[in-house]
Amino acid sequence: DIVEASGQLGIKYLTLYTFSTENWKRPKTEVTLLMKLLIRSIRDETSRLNQNDVKLIATGDLENLPAVVLKELNEAMNTTKDNKLMTLNLALSYSGRWDILNAVKKIITEQNESKIDLESINEKVFSDYLVTKDIPDPDLLIRTGGEFRISNFLLWQLAYSEIYIDNNYWPDFKRGQYYKAISEYQKRERRFGLVSEQLTTKNKIK
């Protein structure tokens, strides 16, 4: 329902924090149940994603997923790969620290192989080594469940994202709450380190 609402609102990218690297530490029975739920959700929703012209992708340490989950996921991504309306990104076996460390390891490897000059690395170059390199940084982070933390999610990418806290847990987060979050976001002034006067001046120059 939230995915459909996003498409109707013209949102091009929606990322759902589906399963973190830390979640692997939970009791084995719970992890197994979550993996079964993930498989069922992928099977049930792929046709609806296609009907709504939604492309499914996934970012994270996907090699750690059980083979049956990875198979279902790859099939769903292949089925929806040509859809254009919006992109739904599932953050699976993902954490922000893992993403950053993974990027650093890639850079070190390429530097050792003389494929990259360390002096050339800036924020844009570093971002290209993250698993989210093909996805814009989020404009808005919606945290459900009333928690006041980002739980190791997109640590680099959320640098200037607006944050909205909703007390409802994810299963109870419906369109009404979603629209409220979007409405609140539209009232925010995004300054990216500047002051309001600078934004006004820049708009006048444009």
Side-chain angles (χ1 to χ4, degrees):
D1 191 41
I2 297 299
V3 175
E4 289 180 352
S6 298
Q8 292 164 4
L9 289 170
I11 294 171
K12 290 300 182 181
Y13 293 89
L14 174 67
T15 295
L16 302 180
Y17 202 4
T18 313
F19 192 87
S20 74
T21 53
E22 289 80 13
N23 288 155
W24 291 115
K25 301 174 185 178
R26 292 185 177 186
K28 185 176 180 180
T29 53
E30 182 177 344
V31 171
T32 300
L33 180 62
L34 289 171
M35 289 298 108
K36 288 181 178 179
L37 178 61
L38 177 59
I39 292 173
R40 189 177 70 185
S41 297
I42 293 172
R43 287 175 178 172
D44 291 345
E45 298 299 332
T46 299
S47 60
R48 290 184 67 189
L49 293 177
N50 247 345
Q51 291 169 10
N52 287 285
D53 199 23
V54 176
K55 177 181 179 180
L56 177 68
I57 64 172
T59 51
D61 190 7
L62 303 182
E63 293 180 359
N64 270 342
L65 294 173
V68 63
V69 174
L70 193 56
K71 178 177 179 293
E72 292 285 345
L73 183 62
N74 284 330
E75 288 180 358
M77 291 192 293
N78 185 61
T79 299
T80 63
K81 62 183 176 63
D82 295 323
N83 293 339
K84 305 293 185 184
L85 180 66
M86 68 170 289
T87 297
L88 171 63
N89 174 38
L90 300 184
L92 276 169
S93 190
Y94 176 88
S95 79
R97 289 183 175 181
W98 168 85
D99 197 6
I100 292 170
L101 286 173
N102 192 50
V104 171
K105 289 176 183 178
K106 289 178 183 177
I107 291 173
I108 292 174
T109 298
E110 292 197 3
Q111 195 272 335
N112 290 338
E113 296 173 353
S114 301
K115 293 181 179 180
I116 189 172
D117 177 11
L118 293 183
E119 295 300 321
S120 69
I121 298 176
N122 53 29
E123 290 186 10
K124 173 63 173 65
V125 172
F126 187 83
S127 294
D128 288 340
Y129 284 87
L130 299 171
V131 293
T132 56
K133 61 185 177 66
D134 297 321
I135 307 171
D137 289 345
D139 294 308
L140 173 65
L141 167 68
I142 300 175
R143 179 64 208 241
T144 57
E147 301 288 358
F148 286 82
R149 60 174 182 269
I150 58 176
S151 297
N152 205 359
F153 182 52
L154 298 176
L155 298 181
W156 175 275
Q157 300 87 337
L158 290 173
Y160 284 102
S161 302
E162 296 295 320
I163 299 177
Y164 179 85
I165 309 295
D166 190 281
N167 289 326
N168 291 280
Y169 289 102
W170 174 245
D172 299 318
F173 186 78
K174 306 300 182 183
R175 284 184 185 240
Q177 289 81 19
Y178 191 37
Y179 294 152
K180 184 178 178 181
I182 299 296
S183 178
E184 175 63 29
Y185 165 78
Q186 291 174 327
K187 300 174 185 175
R188 307 273 181 93
E189 180 183 63
R190 305 189 69 198
R191 298 193 298 271
F192 299 95
L194 303 179
V195 297
S196 298
E197 290 76 9
Q198 288 176 295
L199 294 177
T200 302
T201 301
K202 288 177 67 176
N203 289 333
K204 286 181 179 179
I205 293 174
K206 290 179 181 180

